Amino acid sequence: MDVQHFERITAFIEARLTPLFDEGTGSERGFAMDDTSRALRALRNAVLEASAVKGLIAQRATAEPSLRRVVDQSVEHHWDVLRGIARQWEDHEDFVREFKRHAWELDEALSTPAASEG
């Protein structure tokens, strides 16, 4: 798993969410206390929290084997959260195939570049 996967999927999701918080449209969505605004804030917070795990990836290489297993599980879990959110826009023109893949499939694609094509 590469930190760039987290950066790409987070950027994709943020590009879908940011316009929903645009004050320039006169909308109060995201800022008010109605259920829609609360849901938007909760979704944005979930994305930011799941994306923050990318900081663990750099520590994995020097971690003890038992800790490395925990890091791997955490990274995989948070990738699955982001993957599930991104797939809501699977029909969007900016959606890329890597957003559908499981963490272990991304690792395989990194080790064999030809696998990332299909």
Side-chain angles (χ1 to χ4, degrees):
M1 175 65 67
D2 189 311
V3 72
Q4 292 176 351
H5 293 295
F6 278 90
E7 291 170 350
R8 283 191 293 272
I9 200 167
T10 302
F12 172 79
I13 296 169
E14 280 291 319
R16 311 289 76 75
L17 294 178
T18 299
L20 301 176
F21 287 88
D22 188 5
E23 290 180 81
T25 64
S27 172
E28 291 187 7
R29 289 182 293 184
F31 302 103
M33 294 307 290
D34 61 287
D35 285 344
T36 300
S37 293
R38 291 173 193 211
L40 287 171
R41 287 193 304 272
L43 178 59
R44 178 173 261 175
N45 287 340
V47 169
L48 295 175
E49 289 173 21
S51 180
V53 78
K54 68 184 180 188
L56 289 177
I57 294 172
Q59 297 175 15
R60 183 190 185 280
T62 58
E64 306 251 342
S66 60
L67 182 57
R68 192 174 304 139
R69 227 176 5 262
V70 173
V71 168
D72 288 345
Q73 290 171 351
S74 183
V75 168
E76 288 175 13
H77 167 75
H78 287 85
W79 174 259
D80 283 346
V81 168
L82 292 171
R83 186 172 63 97
I85 294 169
R87 289 193 70 176
Q88 299 305 309
W89 291 278
E90 196 169 340
D91 60 343
H92 192 278
E93 65 185 18
D94 294 337
F95 186 89
V96 294
R97 186 178 177 105
E98 88 180 48
F99 300 159
K100 291 175 82 166
R101 294 186 173 168
H102 293 279
W104 64 85
E105 292 173 317
L106 293 171
D107 289 339
E108 291 170 3
L110 284 174
S111 64
T112 58
S116 64
E117 297 299 320

